[in-house]
Amino acid sequence: MAWSWLCALLVLSQVSAISLPIQNRQDADARNGLKCKCYEGERCWPSVGEWKALNASVDGQLQRVLPLAVSCYNTFEGVATYNADKCAAATAGFSSQAYVGNDPVYAMNPLYTNDTCLPTTNPSASCTQGYLSDYAIVATKERHIAAGVKFARKNNIRLTIRNTGHDFMGRSSAYGGLTINTHRFKDVAFTAKYKGPGGYKGSAVTVGAGIQVGELYKLAFEQSPKVTVVGGECATVGFAGGYIQGGGHGPLATLHGMAADQALSFNVVTAEGDIVKANADENKDLFWALRGGGPATFGVVTSVTVKTFPEVPSAGTILDINSTHTTDPAVFWKGVEAFHAQANHFVDNGMFVYYVILSGSLHVQPLYGPNMNSEKLLKVLKPLFDDLKAKGVPYSTSTKEFPTFYELYMDIFEPEGAGSDQLTGGRFMHRDDIAANNSGIMEAYKTALSPSPEFPFGIVVGHIVGPGYGAPSVDDAVHPLWRKATSFSITSLFPTAANWKAAKKVQTEVVTKALDEAAPKGGAYVNECDLGQPDWQNQFWGSNYPRLLKTRQKWDPEGIFYAETTVGTEKWAEFGEPPRLCKKN
Ligand SMILES: Cc1cc2nc3c(=O)[nH]c(=O)nc-3n(C[C@H](O)[C@H](O)[C@H](O)COP(=O)(O)OP(=O)(O)OC[C@H]3O[C@@H](n4cnc5c(N)ncnc54)[C@H](O)[C@@H]3O)c2cc1C
Ligand SMILES: *[C@@H]1O[C@H](CO)[C@@H](O)[C@H](O)[C@H]1NC(C)=O
Ligand SMILES: *[C@@H]1O[C@H](CO)[C@@H](O)[C@H](O)[C@H]1NC(C)=O
Ligand SMILES: *[C@@H]1O[C@H](CO)[C@@H](O)[C@H](O)[C@H]1NC(C)=O
Ligand SMILES: *[C@@H]1O[C@H](CO)[C@@H](O)[C@H](O)[C@H]1NC(C)=O
């Protein structure tokens, strides 16, 4: 199997080398045992009239895609595009998650657009499509999404679902075809007493697909009485898109479980273009799968209803160990090890911790204690501080308390940027891994920070989070081992489009390998992962995979939706340059 796959690849690259007429490319693909999506220029591509008809059916919401910083260039595809003011706005906005999030298609991690058409001060440089789609529907109604899905299906066009563009692995952008943008679905409705399917009678909120975590936290805080939701650490991540469908961890996840565990009902546009509900009464299999089974796999979610919880008094501590405190690597690593050794203890107290490790610097902001005041939090942290002292590790720290989670969140959690090329990996660690092999995990961290001579500089973004601590047992698609996790770390390397392939090899063969070996009882997280993760089906979903695969085969047998390393995509891959999505027969 592997060999014929490889041969097809070789044949395909030779075929493109002798530049076969694009119109007939599908015939050559078929001879090579591939069925590819239809791309612009091929005979199968819809006519101008058909695109016009699609535009009419979506109330004029169809756009020809333009790269984010197109106005910094004199021309794009032969059309004059330069505009100094717009270029200045795009240049400033390029590193802002809010600005990029509002673009119909652009990715927060530009690597996955192939670094195309970056902001520049040289307007005569060339701006190309890169890995962006041709058209985007900026949907404002469910029937716009349904029309887009049906059009893509009928014409065999690559379909990409895009909410905020946050996906670290670029799954919300792709070369060619049609993007459906869900970012305009901004309706939110809170209820004090949920009356829908499933028997739950507490408070809840229905959240439109375009709502971002920070918006939801704010609205929840404005309710009377104030409530909270399980959302991400990052304010601009979309709530109902990739985040909840992949599982969703965050500051309140130790206390209540994953975001997906809180879901009561989804509204979904299916691969058939039908608008359906998925909950405890209707389409139960879809309901199960949407809660953690991965993004862009079972349908386009237009809204989700989740449980809300009462606000809680909250305390947070900041901890730093860096060159201000020590320049001795041995002392520094003693400190990091002492800190991470507390993961199980922190989770056993309902906590969430967010930290960043760069060479010689550990920045923890915050160690968050829900349902705690400063005194209580400092008591829980005492073993850590005692250990640092005993080991002679200097550090600085400060602690604050707040009446609510929201006030703590706004004060202590730090905003993040966009616009840097990153290649990620990640692993959640089982509590037994921490207990048995914390020093081995430290070795893996060191590898992640400096994996190879070509990529001497990486970072670790860590979370101490234990979604099994306070969660009622929910039967959903979230990897069962998440319930035993107490620590989840993301790693990043910083390549460019030019050395991307070399970086991927290092990421998988050096960094991912090191983390997998150091925490063998854990797993990986589809939303924050290495696309080269070996055994990804099992690493992302464990024993849930077979049931998820059956559900995918029922709801999207033809592969209308696609995102790399998601359920049921084993026979699909991208080929050639630019990369076309094809299925092996
Ligand atoms: C800075 C940063 C911080 C993060 N913090 C956290 C965190 O605290 N906790 C956590 O769990 N994760 C976190 N993530 C990861 C986050 O969960 C994923 O990036 C997630 O995929 C984002 O979803 P989105 O819809 O906002 O993004 P997008 O990039 O728009 O979409 C992500 C994926 O979901 C699909 N998708 C989008 N909308 C829909 C929809 N309506 N229906 C079906 N599929 C859809 C897309 O096709 C794509 O495959 C973070 C990511 C970043 C970049
Ligand atoms: C779709 O229609 C709207 C409104 O008429 C128009 O502004 C837009 O340019 C059209 N899109 C395309 C791709 O032609
Ligand atoms: C993507 O980037 C690579 C490396 O810079 C380049 O060789 C290739 O032509 C680019 N492809 C597209 C479609 O932009
Ligand atoms: C080290 O930590 C202190 C806080 O104690 C901070 O003010 C300083 O900027 C940090 N230095 C570096 C190099 O990160
Ligand atoms: C501990 O981690 C190291 C890697 O740093 C690994 O080689 C070893 O197998 C791990 N041991 C256990 C018991 O998991």
Side-chain angles (χ1 to χ4, degrees), residues 55 60 62-64 135:
N55 197 11
L62 182 73
Q63 303 180 2
R64 183 82 202 184
Y135 291 93

Side-chain angles (χ1 to χ4, degrees), residues 18 71 80 131 139 153 176 250 285 356 401 425 435 455 488 492 536 541 575:
I18 57 164
S71 46
Y131 300 167
R153 172 190 194 86
D285 57 343
V356 178
E401 64 186 31
F455 300 97
F488 167 63
S492 285
W536 55 265
W541 291 289
F575 288 91

